[in-house]
Amino acid sequence: MNIHTYEKFWLAASMLLIVGFILTITYGSVGLGIAMIDDSSPTVDPDNLGEHPGFSDPGVERVGENEYEVHVIAVQFAYFPGEIEVPANSTVTFRLTSEDVIHSFSVVGTNANTMIIPGEVASLTVETEEPGEYGIICSEYCGAGHHDMEGKLVVVP
Ligand code: CUA
């Protein structure tokens, strides 16, 4: 290698860096970055949840062998149902919506966490393992009773 080759290398490297910066900015500005709830999430009418097949009677439903679907409605300042019981060693998909403002569904001590937006249905799938009890808390400020908004997830044998 002579000096000339080094120069070429660094020229190319700095060009790459600039292109990289531009790509990063473009990528961020078109919103492909973090999509917590995408535009294609199913929509519901928050004022008529009673007419929705899943949300008219929220709760746990067995949808396959070791597979469960749980519809949950969040309101100021509770979850319906407030206590959710699911079997260990199964796949559980939560379908969540809100009747009023933005809430969240955060299973304490796990990475299971999603925002709940009125008019949209958030989905969250978890694999249950050992039996145990988990707290569910709302981590989006939703009003005066936000700190009291909690539920319980019980994984039964
Ligand atoms: Cu619901 Cu904070």
Side-chain angles (χ1 to χ4, degrees):
M1 258 198 200
N2 56 31
I3 298 288
H4 192 67
T5 323
Y6 275 121
E7 264 177 19
K8 261 199 213 157
F9 171 78
W10 286 111
L11 200 67
S14 56
M15 291 300 260
L16 261 178
L17 201 64
I18 289 164
V19 170
F21 282 144
I22 292 168
L23 282 178
T24 310
I25 293 163
T26 315
Y27 188 72
S29 67
V30 295
L32 292 172
I34 300 166
M36 289 189 57
I37 292 175
D38 62 16
D39 293 332
S40 65
S41 22
T43 55
V44 287
D45 178 359
D47 295 324
N48 284 301
L49 291 180
E51 282 166 22
H52 187 280
F55 293 113
S56 61
D57 185 21
V60 183
E61 195 187 338
R62 189 168 183 235
V63 291
E65 200 179 342
N66 303 322
E67 265 183 66
Y68 297 83
E69 197 170 62
V70 187
H71 282 83
V72 180
I73 299 175
V75 298
Q76 287 168 317
F77 300 97
Y79 297 98
F80 291 100
E83 185 169 327
I84 300 163
E85 215 176 83
V86 288
N89 303 306
S90 49
T91 304
V92 180
T93 300
F94 294 96
R95 308 241 182 252
L96 309 121
T97 196
S98 165
E99 214 170 70
D100 40 41
V101 299
I102 293 176
H103 300 277
S104 94
F105 183 88
S106 313
V107 184
V108 179
T110 73
N111 61 3
N113 176 40
T114 187
M115 232 184 188
I116 309 176
I117 299 172
E120 294 187 13
V121 180
S123 288
L124 178 69
T125 301
V126 302
E127 304 283 339
T128 63
E129 291 166 2
E130 301 293 301
E133 270 191 31
Y134 299 86
I136 296 165
I137 55 162
C138 177
S139 57
E140 291 291 328
Y141 182 76
C142 54
H146 162 71
H147 298 283
D148 294 323
M149 183 162 174
E150 52 188 28
K152 200 198 274 183
L153 176 63
V154 185
V155 178
V156 295

Short mmCIF file of all heavy atoms in Angstrom, two decimals, residues 45-114:
data_model
loop_
_atom_site.label_atom_id
_atom_site.label_comp_id
_atom_site.label_asym_id
_atom_site.label_seq_id
_atom_site.Cartn_x
_atom_site.Cartn_y
_atom_site.Cartn_z
N ASP A 45 -65.04 0.78 17.17
CA ASP A 45 -65.72 1.98 17.61
C ASP A 45 -65.75 1.96 19.13
O ASP A 45 -66.44 1.14 19.73
CB ASP A 45 -67.14 1.99 17.03
CG ASP A 45 -67.92 3.20 17.49
OD1 ASP A 45 -67.36 4.01 18.28
OD2 ASP A 45 -69.08 3.34 17.08
N PRO A 46 -64.98 2.86 19.77
CA PRO A 46 -64.88 2.83 21.24
C PRO A 46 -66.22 3.02 21.94
O PRO A 46 -66.39 2.61 23.08
CB PRO A 46 -63.93 3.98 21.58
CG PRO A 46 -63.51 4.59 20.31
CD PRO A 46 -64.20 3.94 19.17
N ASP A 47 -67.19 3.64 21.24
CA ASP A 47 -68.49 3.87 21.87
C ASP A 47 -69.44 2.68 21.72
O ASP A 47 -70.50 2.65 22.32
CB ASP A 47 -69.15 5.11 21.26
CG ASP A 47 -68.34 6.36 21.57
OD1 ASP A 47 -67.78 6.43 22.68
OD2 ASP A 47 -68.25 7.24 20.69
N ASN A 48 -69.04 1.74 20.88
CA ASN A 48 -69.92 0.59 20.66
C ASN A 48 -69.18 -0.73 20.78
O ASN A 48 -69.34 -1.62 19.96
CB ASN A 48 -70.56 0.67 19.26
CG ASN A 48 -71.67 1.70 19.24
OD1 ASN A 48 -72.65 1.59 19.99
ND2 ASN A 48 -71.52 2.70 18.39
N LEU A 49 -68.35 -0.84 21.82
CA LEU A 49 -67.56 -2.06 21.99
C LEU A 49 -68.48 -3.27 22.22
O LEU A 49 -68.12 -4.40 21.93
CB LEU A 49 -66.58 -1.91 23.15
CG LEU A 49 -65.43 -0.93 22.90
CD1 LEU A 49 -64.51 -0.86 24.11
CD2 LEU A 49 -64.65 -1.32 21.66
N GLY A 50 -69.68 -3.02 22.72
CA GLY A 50 -70.64 -4.10 22.96
C GLY A 50 -71.05 -4.80 21.68
O GLY A 50 -71.52 -5.94 21.70
N GLU A 51 -70.85 -4.13 20.55
CA GLU A 51 -71.25 -4.74 19.28
C GLU A 51 -70.10 -5.50 18.64
O GLU A 51 -70.27 -6.14 17.61
CB GLU A 51 -71.74 -3.66 18.32
CG GLU A 51 -73.15 -3.24 18.65
CD GLU A 51 -73.55 -1.94 17.96
OE1 GLU A 51 -72.93 -1.60 16.94
OE2 GLU A 51 -74.48 -1.30 18.47
N HIS A 52 -68.92 -5.42 19.26
CA HIS A 52 -67.76 -6.11 18.71
C HIS A 52 -67.74 -7.54 19.25
O HIS A 52 -67.89 -7.74 20.45
CB HIS A 52 -66.50 -5.35 19.13
CG HIS A 52 -65.26 -5.88 18.50
ND1 HIS A 52 -64.62 -6.99 18.98
CD2 HIS A 52 -64.54 -5.45 17.43
CE1 HIS A 52 -63.56 -7.22 18.22
NE2 HIS A 52 -63.49 -6.30 17.28
N PRO A 53 -67.59 -8.54 18.36
CA PRO A 53 -67.65 -9.93 18.80
C PRO A 53 -66.70 -10.26 19.96
O PRO A 53 -67.08 -10.99 20.87
CB PRO A 53 -67.28 -10.73 17.56
CG PRO A 53 -66.81 -9.75 16.54
CD PRO A 53 -67.36 -8.41 16.92
N GLY A 54 -65.50 -9.71 19.95
CA GLY A 54 -64.55 -10.05 21.01
C GLY A 54 -64.74 -9.20 22.26
O GLY A 54 -64.65 -9.69 23.38
N PHE A 55 -65.07 -7.94 22.06
CA PHE A 55 -65.11 -7.02 23.20
C PHE A 55 -66.48 -6.93 23.87
O PHE A 55 -66.62 -6.31 24.91
CB PHE A 55 -64.62 -5.63 22.78
CG PHE A 55 -63.16 -5.62 22.42
CD1 PHE A 55 -62.75 -5.37 21.13
CD2 PHE A 55 -62.20 -5.89 23.40
CE1 PHE A 55 -61.38 -5.38 20.80
CE2 PHE A 55 -60.85 -5.91 23.08
CZ PHE A 55 -60.44 -5.65 21.78
N SER A 56 -67.50 -7.55 23.25
CA SER A 56 -68.81 -7.52 23.89
C SER A 56 -68.78 -8.37 25.15
O SER A 56 -69.53 -8.14 26.09
CB SER A 56 -69.88 -8.03 22.92
OG SER A 56 -69.59 -9.36 22.56
N ASP A 57 -67.91 -9.37 25.15
CA ASP A 57 -67.79 -10.24 26.32
C ASP A 57 -66.31 -10.52 26.55
O ASP A 57 -65.81 -11.59 26.25
CB ASP A 57 -68.56 -11.55 26.05
CG ASP A 57 -68.57 -12.45 27.28
OD1 ASP A 57 -68.36 -11.95 28.40
OD2 ASP A 57 -68.77 -13.67 27.10
N PRO A 58 -65.58 -9.52 27.05
CA PRO A 58 -64.13 -9.66 27.17
C PRO A 58 -63.74 -10.80 28.11
O PRO A 58 -64.49 -11.14 29.01
CB PRO A 58 -63.68 -8.31 27.73
CG PRO A 58 -64.88 -7.68 28.31
CD PRO A 58 -66.06 -8.24 27.59
N GLY A 59 -62.58 -11.37 27.88
CA GLY A 59 -62.12 -12.46 28.73
C GLY A 59 -61.31 -13.47 27.94
O GLY A 59 -60.90 -13.21 26.81
N VAL A 60 -61.08 -14.62 28.56
CA VAL A 60 -60.21 -15.65 28.00
C VAL A 60 -61.03 -16.62 27.15
O VAL A 60 -62.11 -17.04 27.53
CB VAL A 60 -59.51 -16.44 29.13
CG1 VAL A 60 -58.54 -17.47 28.55
CG2 VAL A 60 -58.77 -15.49 30.07
N GLU A 61 -60.46 -16.94 25.98
CA GLU A 61 -61.12 -17.88 25.10
C GLU A 61 -60.07 -18.85 24.58
O GLU A 61 -58.99 -18.43 24.17
CB GLU A 61 -61.72 -17.08 23.93
CG GLU A 61 -62.72 -17.82 23.11
CD GLU A 61 -63.12 -17.00 21.87
OE1 GLU A 61 -62.95 -15.76 21.90
OE2 GLU A 61 -63.53 -17.62 20.89
N ARG A 62 -60.39 -20.14 24.59
CA ARG A 62 -59.45 -21.12 24.08
C ARG A 62 -59.61 -21.19 22.57
O ARG A 62 -60.72 -21.39 22.07
CB ARG A 62 -59.76 -22.49 24.71
CG ARG A 62 -58.71 -23.51 24.40
CD ARG A 62 -58.87 -24.76 25.27
NE ARG A 62 -57.80 -25.68 24.99
CZ ARG A 62 -58.00 -26.94 24.62
NH1 ARG A 62 -59.22 -27.41 24.54
NH2 ARG A 62 -56.96 -27.71 24.35
N VAL A 63 -58.53 -21.00 21.84
CA VAL A 63 -58.65 -20.98 20.38
C VAL A 63 -57.90 -22.13 19.72
O VAL A 63 -57.90 -22.27 18.51
CB VAL A 63 -58.19 -19.63 19.77
CG1 VAL A 63 -59.16 -18.52 20.14
CG2 VAL A 63 -56.77 -19.27 20.23
N GLY A 64 -57.23 -22.95 20.51
CA GLY A 64 -56.49 -24.08 19.96
C GLY A 64 -55.86 -24.83 21.10
O GLY A 64 -56.03 -24.46 22.27
N GLU A 65 -55.15 -25.90 20.76
CA GLU A 65 -54.49 -26.64 21.82
C GLU A 65 -53.38 -25.76 22.39
O GLU A 65 -52.49 -25.33 21.65
CB GLU A 65 -53.90 -27.94 21.26
CG GLU A 65 -53.63 -28.94 22.35
CD GLU A 65 -53.08 -30.26 21.79
OE1 GLU A 65 -53.23 -30.48 20.59
OE2 GLU A 65 -52.49 -31.01 22.56
N ASN A 66 -53.43 -25.47 23.66
CA ASN A 66 -52.47 -24.57 24.31
C ASN A 66 -52.43 -23.17 23.71
O ASN A 66 -51.40 -22.50 23.74
CB ASN A 66 -51.05 -25.16 24.27
CG ASN A 66 -50.99 -26.52 24.92
OD1 ASN A 66 -51.65 -26.75 25.93
ND2 ASN A 66 -50.23 -27.42 24.34
N GLU A 67 -53.54 -22.76 23.12
CA GLU A 67 -53.59 -21.43 22.54
C GLU A 67 -54.83 -20.70 23.04
O GLU A 67 -55.93 -21.23 22.97
CB GLU A 67 -53.66 -21.50 21.02
CG GLU A 67 -52.31 -21.39 20.35
CD GLU A 67 -52.46 -21.40 18.85
OE1 GLU A 67 -53.03 -20.44 18.31
OE2 GLU A 67 -52.02 -22.39 18.22
N TYR A 68 -54.60 -19.49 23.50
CA TYR A 68 -55.70 -18.73 24.08
C TYR A 68 -55.70 -17.31 23.54
O TYR A 68 -54.65 -16.78 23.17
CB TYR A 68 -55.58 -18.71 25.61
CG TYR A 68 -55.69 -20.10 26.19
CD1 TYR A 68 -54.57 -20.93 26.24
CD2 TYR A 68 -56.91 -20.58 26.63
CE1 TYR A 68 -54.67 -22.22 26.72
CE2 TYR A 68 -57.02 -21.87 27.13
CZ TYR A 68 -55.90 -22.69 27.17
OH TYR A 68 -56.00 -23.97 27.64
N GLU A 69 -56.91 -16.75 23.49
CA GLU A 69 -57.04 -15.36 23.08
C GLU A 69 -57.76 -14.64 24.21
O GLU A 69 -58.75 -15.15 24.74
CB GLU A 69 -57.84 -15.27 21.78
CG GLU A 69 -57.68 -13.96 21.07
CD GLU A 69 -58.29 -13.99 19.68
OE1 GLU A 69 -59.51 -14.18 19.58
OE2 GLU A 69 -57.55 -13.82 18.71
N VAL A 70 -57.25 -13.49 24.58
CA VAL A 70 -57.85 -12.75 25.69
C VAL A 70 -58.20 -11.34 25.23
O VAL A 70 -57.33 -10.58 24.83
CB VAL A 70 -56.88 -12.66 26.89
CG1 VAL A 70 -57.60 -12.04 28.09
CG2 VAL A 70 -56.30 -14.01 27.26
N HIS A 71 -59.49 -11.03 25.25
CA HIS A 71 -59.91 -9.66 24.94
C HIS A 71 -59.95 -8.86 26.24
O HIS A 71 -60.50 -9.33 27.24
CB HIS A 71 -61.28 -9.65 24.27
CG HIS A 71 -61.22 -10.03 22.82
ND1 HIS A 71 -61.19 -11.33 22.38
CD2 HIS A 71 -61.13 -9.25 21.70
CE1 HIS A 71 -61.11 -11.33 21.06
NE2 HIS A 71 -61.07 -10.10 20.62
N VAL A 72 -59.36 -7.69 26.21
CA VAL A 72 -59.31 -6.85 27.41
C VAL A 72 -59.71 -5.42 27.02
O VAL A 72 -59.23 -4.89 26.02
CB VAL A 72 -57.90 -6.82 28.03
CG1 VAL A 72 -57.86 -5.94 29.28
CG2 VAL A 72 -57.41 -8.23 28.36
N ILE A 73 -60.58 -4.84 27.83
CA ILE A 73 -60.95 -3.44 27.64
C ILE A 73 -60.35 -2.62 28.77
O ILE A 73 -60.47 -2.98 29.94
CB ILE A 73 -62.48 -3.25 27.63
CG1 ILE A 73 -63.11 -4.06 26.49
CG2 ILE A 73 -62.85 -1.77 27.51
CD1 ILE A 73 -64.63 -4.01 26.48
N ALA A 74 -59.69 -1.54 28.41
CA ALA A 74 -59.14 -0.63 29.40
C ALA A 74 -60.03 0.60 29.48
O ALA A 74 -60.49 1.11 28.47
CB ALA A 74 -57.73 -0.21 29.02
N VAL A 75 -60.32 1.02 30.70
CA VAL A 75 -61.08 2.25 30.92
C VAL A 75 -60.41 2.99 32.08
O VAL A 75 -59.61 2.42 32.81
CB VAL A 75 -62.56 2.00 31.30
CG1 VAL A 75 -63.29 1.29 30.18
CG2 VAL A 75 -62.67 1.19 32.58
N GLN A 76 -60.77 4.24 32.29
CA GLN A 76 -60.31 4.95 33.48
C GLN A 76 -61.07 4.37 34.68
O GLN A 76 -62.28 4.51 34.74
CB GLN A 76 -60.63 6.44 33.36
CG GLN A 76 -59.72 7.16 32.37
CD GLN A 76 -60.26 8.55 32.08
OE1 GLN A 76 -61.47 8.73 31.89
NE2 GLN A 76 -59.39 9.54 32.00
N PHE A 77 -60.55 3.64 35.62
CA PHE A 77 -59.15 3.30 35.78
C PHE A 77 -59.07 1.82 36.12
O PHE A 77 -58.75 1.43 37.24
CB PHE A 77 -58.53 4.14 36.91
CG PHE A 77 -58.62 5.63 36.60
CD1 PHE A 77 -59.64 6.39 37.13
CD2 PHE A 77 -57.70 6.21 35.74
CE1 PHE A 77 -59.72 7.76 36.81
CE2 PHE A 77 -57.78 7.58 35.44
CZ PHE A 77 -58.80 8.35 35.97
N ALA A 78 -59.43 1.00 35.15
CA ALA A 78 -59.46 -0.45 35.38
C ALA A 78 -59.35 -1.20 34.06
O ALA A 78 -59.45 -0.62 32.98
CB ALA A 78 -60.77 -0.84 36.08
N TYR A 79 -59.11 -2.50 34.20
CA TYR A 79 -59.12 -3.39 33.04
C TYR A 79 -60.31 -4.32 33.20
O TYR A 79 -60.64 -4.74 34.30
CB TYR A 79 -57.85 -4.23 33.00
CG TYR A 79 -56.58 -3.44 32.84
CD1 TYR A 79 -55.80 -3.15 33.95
CD2 TYR A 79 -56.16 -3.00 31.60
CE1 TYR A 79 -54.63 -2.42 33.82
CE2 TYR A 79 -55.00 -2.27 31.46
CZ TYR A 79 -54.24 -1.98 32.58
OH TYR A 79 -53.08 -1.26 32.45
N PHE A 80 -60.93 -4.67 32.09
CA PHE A 80 -61.98 -5.68 32.11
C PHE A 80 -61.60 -6.82 31.19
O PHE A 80 -61.43 -6.58 30.01
CB PHE A 80 -63.33 -5.06 31.72
CG PHE A 80 -63.82 -4.11 32.76
CD1 PHE A 80 -63.66 -2.74 32.61
CD2 PHE A 80 -64.43 -4.60 33.91
CE1 PHE A 80 -64.10 -1.87 33.60
CE2 PHE A 80 -64.88 -3.73 34.89
CZ PHE A 80 -64.72 -2.35 34.74
N PRO A 81 -61.44 -8.04 31.70
CA PRO A 81 -61.56 -8.39 33.11
C PRO A 81 -60.36 -7.90 33.92
O PRO A 81 -59.28 -7.73 33.37
CB PRO A 81 -61.61 -9.92 33.08
CG PRO A 81 -60.88 -10.30 31.84
CD PRO A 81 -61.09 -9.19 30.86
N GLY A 82 -60.57 -7.74 35.23
CA GLY A 82 -59.50 -7.25 36.09
C GLY A 82 -58.51 -8.34 36.44
O GLY A 82 -57.34 -8.08 36.68
N GLU A 83 -59.02 -9.58 36.47
CA GLU A 83 -58.13 -10.70 36.73
C GLU A 83 -58.23 -11.68 35.56
O GLU A 83 -59.32 -12.07 35.16
CB GLU A 83 -58.51 -11.40 38.05
CG GLU A 83 -57.51 -12.49 38.39
CD GLU A 83 -57.69 -13.03 39.82
OE1 GLU A 83 -58.08 -12.25 40.71
OE2 GLU A 83 -57.45 -14.24 40.02
N ILE A 84 -57.07 -12.03 35.01
CA ILE A 84 -57.03 -12.89 33.84
C ILE A 84 -56.32 -14.18 34.22
O ILE A 84 -55.20 -14.14 34.75
CB ILE A 84 -56.27 -12.19 32.69
CG1 ILE A 84 -56.96 -10.88 32.31
CG2 ILE A 84 -56.14 -13.11 31.48
CD1 ILE A 84 -56.09 -9.94 31.51
N GLU A 85 -56.98 -15.30 33.96
CA GLU A 85 -56.38 -16.58 34.32
C GLU A 85 -56.09 -17.38 33.06
O GLU A 85 -57.00 -17.66 32.28
CB GLU A 85 -57.38 -17.35 35.21
CG GLU A 85 -56.73 -18.16 36.29
CD GLU A 85 -57.78 -18.82 37.18
OE1 GLU A 85 -58.29 -19.88 36.81
OE2 GLU A 85 -58.09 -18.22 38.24
N VAL A 86 -54.81 -17.72 32.87
CA VAL A 86 -54.44 -18.51 31.69
C VAL A 86 -53.54 -19.68 32.12
O VAL A 86 -52.82 -19.58 33.11
CB VAL A 86 -53.70 -17.66 30.62
CG1 VAL A 86 -54.65 -16.70 29.94
CG2 VAL A 86 -52.52 -16.91 31.23
N PRO A 87 -53.59 -20.79 31.38
CA PRO A 87 -52.79 -21.96 31.74
C PRO A 87 -51.30 -21.77 31.44
O PRO A 87 -50.94 -21.01 30.53
CB PRO A 87 -53.36 -23.07 30.86
CG PRO A 87 -54.65 -22.55 30.34
CD PRO A 87 -54.50 -21.08 30.26
N ALA A 88 -50.47 -22.46 32.21
CA ALA A 88 -49.03 -22.45 31.98
C ALA A 88 -48.71 -23.15 30.65
O ALA A 88 -49.53 -23.89 30.12
CB ALA A 88 -48.33 -23.16 33.13
N ASN A 89 -47.54 -22.87 30.13
CA ASN A 89 -47.05 -23.50 28.90
C ASN A 89 -48.02 -23.36 27.72
O ASN A 89 -48.32 -24.33 27.03
CB ASN A 89 -46.73 -24.98 29.14
CG ASN A 89 -45.73 -25.15 30.26
OD1 ASN A 89 -44.65 -24.56 30.23
ND2 ASN A 89 -46.10 -25.92 31.28
N SER A 90 -48.51 -22.17 27.54
CA SER A 90 -49.40 -21.95 26.41
C SER A 90 -49.09 -20.61 25.74
O SER A 90 -48.34 -19.79 26.26
CB SER A 90 -50.86 -22.02 26.85
OG SER A 90 -51.06 -21.21 27.97
N THR A 91 -49.67 -20.45 24.56
CA THR A 91 -49.50 -19.21 23.81
C THR A 91 -50.74 -18.36 24.01
O THR A 91 -51.85 -18.80 23.74
CB THR A 91 -49.32 -19.52 22.31
OG1 THR A 91 -48.22 -20.42 22.18
CG2 THR A 91 -49.03 -18.26 21.51
N VAL A 92 -50.54 -17.17 24.52
CA VAL A 92 -51.68 -16.31 24.84
C VAL A 92 -51.57 -15.01 24.04
O VAL A 92 -50.57 -14.30 24.13
CB VAL A 92 -51.71 -15.98 26.34
CG1 VAL A 92 -52.90 -15.10 26.67
CG2 VAL A 92 -51.74 -17.26 27.18
N THR A 93 -52.60 -14.73 23.26
CA THR A 93 -52.64 -13.48 22.52
C THR A 93 -53.67 -12.55 23.14
O THR A 93 -54.84 -12.91 23.25
CB THR A 93 -52.97 -13.73 21.04
OG1 THR A 93 -51.97 -14.58 20.49
CG2 THR A 93 -53.00 -12.42 20.25
N PHE A 94 -53.20 -11.40 23.57
CA PHE A 94 -54.10 -10.40 24.12
C PHE A 94 -54.54 -9.48 22.99
O PHE A 94 -53.74 -9.10 22.15
CB PHE A 94 -53.38 -9.56 25.18
CG PHE A 94 -53.00 -10.35 26.40
CD1 PHE A 94 -51.71 -10.88 26.52
CD2 PHE A 94 -53.91 -10.56 27.41
CE1 PHE A 94 -51.35 -11.61 27.64
CE2 PHE A 94 -53.55 -11.29 28.55
CZ PHE A 94 -52.28 -11.82 28.65
N ARG A 95 -55.83 -9.15 22.99
CA ARG A 95 -56.36 -8.13 22.08
C ARG A 95 -56.92 -7.05 22.97
O ARG A 95 -57.81 -7.28 23.77
CB ARG A 95 -57.46 -8.70 21.19
CG ARG A 95 -57.02 -9.96 20.49
CD ARG A 95 -57.06 -9.81 18.98
NE ARG A 95 -56.69 -11.06 18.34
CZ ARG A 95 -55.53 -11.26 17.72
NH1 ARG A 95 -54.63 -10.31 17.66
NH2 ARG A 95 -55.26 -12.42 17.15
N LEU A 96 -56.34 -5.86 22.82
CA LEU A 96 -56.65 -4.80 23.78
C LEU A 96 -57.18 -3.55 23.11
O LEU A 96 -56.67 -3.14 22.07
CB LEU A 96 -55.38 -4.46 24.56
CG LEU A 96 -54.64 -5.65 25.17
CD1 LEU A 96 -53.22 -5.73 24.64
CD2 LEU A 96 -54.64 -5.58 26.67
N THR A 97 -58.17 -2.97 23.75
CA THR A 97 -58.64 -1.68 23.27
C THR A 97 -59.08 -0.83 24.46
O THR A 97 -59.19 -1.33 25.57
CB THR A 97 -59.77 -1.81 22.23
OG1 THR A 97 -59.91 -0.57 21.53
CG2 THR A 97 -61.11 -2.19 22.87
N SER A 98 -59.28 0.45 24.20
CA SER A 98 -59.67 1.36 25.26
C SER A 98 -61.03 1.98 24.94
O SER A 98 -61.36 2.20 23.78
CB SER A 98 -58.63 2.47 25.39
OG SER A 98 -59.16 3.53 26.17
N GLU A 99 -61.78 2.25 26.00
CA GLU A 99 -63.09 2.85 25.81
C GLU A 99 -63.01 4.37 25.92
O GLU A 99 -63.93 5.07 25.55
CB GLU A 99 -64.02 2.30 26.89
CG GLU A 99 -65.45 2.12 26.47
CD GLU A 99 -66.22 1.35 27.52
OE1 GLU A 99 -66.48 1.88 28.61
OE2 GLU A 99 -66.57 0.20 27.23
N ASP A 100 -61.90 4.88 26.47
CA ASP A 100 -61.84 6.33 26.65
C ASP A 100 -60.53 6.96 26.17
O ASP A 100 -60.47 7.52 25.10
CB ASP A 100 -62.13 6.69 28.12
CG ASP A 100 -61.49 5.72 29.12
OD1 ASP A 100 -60.33 5.32 28.88
OD2 ASP A 100 -62.14 5.38 30.13
N VAL A 101 -59.49 6.86 26.98
CA VAL A 101 -58.24 7.54 26.64
C VAL A 101 -57.12 6.50 26.43
O VAL A 101 -57.37 5.31 26.53
CB VAL A 101 -57.82 8.53 27.76
CG1 VAL A 101 -58.88 9.59 27.95
CG2 VAL A 101 -57.59 7.79 29.07
N ILE A 102 -55.92 6.98 26.16
CA ILE A 102 -54.79 6.07 25.97
C ILE A 102 -54.34 5.48 27.31
O ILE A 102 -54.15 6.21 28.28
CB ILE A 102 -53.62 6.80 25.28
CG1 ILE A 102 -54.01 7.16 23.84
CG2 ILE A 102 -52.36 5.92 25.27
CD1 ILE A 102 -52.94 7.96 23.11
N HIS A 103 -54.24 4.17 27.34
CA HIS A 103 -53.72 3.46 28.51
C HIS A 103 -52.57 2.57 28.03
O HIS A 103 -52.21 2.60 26.86
CB HIS A 103 -54.80 2.57 29.13
CG HIS A 103 -56.01 3.29 29.60
ND1 HIS A 103 -56.08 3.91 30.82
CD2 HIS A 103 -57.21 3.51 29.00
CE1 HIS A 103 -57.28 4.45 30.97
NE2 HIS A 103 -57.99 4.24 29.87
N SER A 104 -52.03 1.79 28.94
CA SER A 104 -51.11 0.74 28.51
C SER A 104 -51.42 -0.52 29.27
O SER A 104 -52.17 -0.51 30.25
CB SER A 104 -49.65 1.15 28.69
OG SER A 104 -49.16 0.68 29.94
N PHE A 105 -50.86 -1.60 28.78
CA PHE A 105 -51.01 -2.90 29.40
C PHE A 105 -49.60 -3.41 29.58
O PHE A 105 -48.93 -3.78 28.62
CB PHE A 105 -51.81 -3.81 28.45
CG PHE A 105 -52.13 -5.19 28.96
CD1 PHE A 105 -53.28 -5.42 29.71
CD2 PHE A 105 -51.30 -6.27 28.66
CE1 PHE A 105 -53.60 -6.70 30.15
CE2 PHE A 105 -51.62 -7.55 29.10
CZ PHE A 105 -52.77 -7.76 29.84
N SER A 106 -49.11 -3.35 30.81
CA SER A 106 -47.73 -3.71 31.07
C SER A 106 -47.69 -4.80 32.13
O SER A 106 -48.16 -4.60 33.25
CB SER A 106 -46.96 -2.48 31.57
OG SER A 106 -47.24 -1.36 30.72
N VAL A 107 -47.15 -5.95 31.74
CA VAL A 107 -47.07 -7.07 32.68
C VAL A 107 -45.77 -6.93 33.47
O VAL A 107 -44.68 -7.02 32.91
CB VAL A 107 -47.14 -8.42 31.96
CG1 VAL A 107 -47.16 -9.56 32.97
CG2 VAL A 107 -48.37 -8.49 31.06
N VAL A 108 -45.92 -6.65 34.77
CA VAL A 108 -44.78 -6.34 35.62
C VAL A 108 -43.77 -7.48 35.64
O VAL A 108 -44.12 -8.65 35.77
CB VAL A 108 -45.27 -6.05 37.06
CG1 VAL A 108 -44.09 -5.75 37.98
CG2 VAL A 108 -46.25 -4.89 37.07
N GLY A 109 -42.51 -7.13 35.49
CA GLY A 109 -41.44 -8.12 35.56
C GLY A 109 -41.20 -8.87 34.25
O GLY A 109 -40.38 -9.77 34.20
N THR A 110 -41.92 -8.49 33.19
CA THR A 110 -41.71 -9.12 31.88
C THR A 110 -41.54 -8.00 30.85
O THR A 110 -41.68 -6.83 31.18
CB THR A 110 -42.92 -9.97 31.46
OG1 THR A 110 -43.99 -9.08 31.09
CG2 THR A 110 -43.40 -10.86 32.59
N ASN A 111 -41.25 -8.38 29.61
CA ASN A 111 -41.15 -7.34 28.59
C ASN A 111 -42.48 -7.19 27.83
O ASN A 111 -42.53 -6.53 26.80
CB ASN A 111 -39.98 -7.60 27.64
CG ASN A 111 -40.12 -8.91 26.91
OD1 ASN A 111 -41.12 -9.62 27.07
ND2 ASN A 111 -39.12 -9.26 26.11
N ALA A 112 -43.53 -7.82 28.35
CA ALA A 112 -44.84 -7.70 27.72
C ALA A 112 -45.43 -6.34 28.06
O ALA A 112 -45.70 -6.05 29.22
CB ALA A 112 -45.76 -8.83 28.19
N ASN A 113 -45.60 -5.52 27.05
CA ASN A 113 -46.01 -4.14 27.27
C ASN A 113 -46.56 -3.57 25.97
O ASN A 113 -45.92 -3.70 24.93
CB ASN A 113 -44.79 -3.34 27.73
CG ASN A 113 -45.09 -1.87 27.90
OD1 ASN A 113 -46.15 -1.51 28.39
ND2 ASN A 113 -44.16 -1.03 27.45
N THR A 114 -47.73 -2.98 26.02
CA THR A 114 -48.23 -2.32 24.81
C THR A 114 -49.10 -1.14 25.18
O THR A 114 -49.68 -1.09 26.26
CB THR A 114 -49.01 -3.30 23.91
OG1 THR A 114 -49.32 -2.64 22.68
CG2 THR A 114 -50.31 -3.77 24.55
#
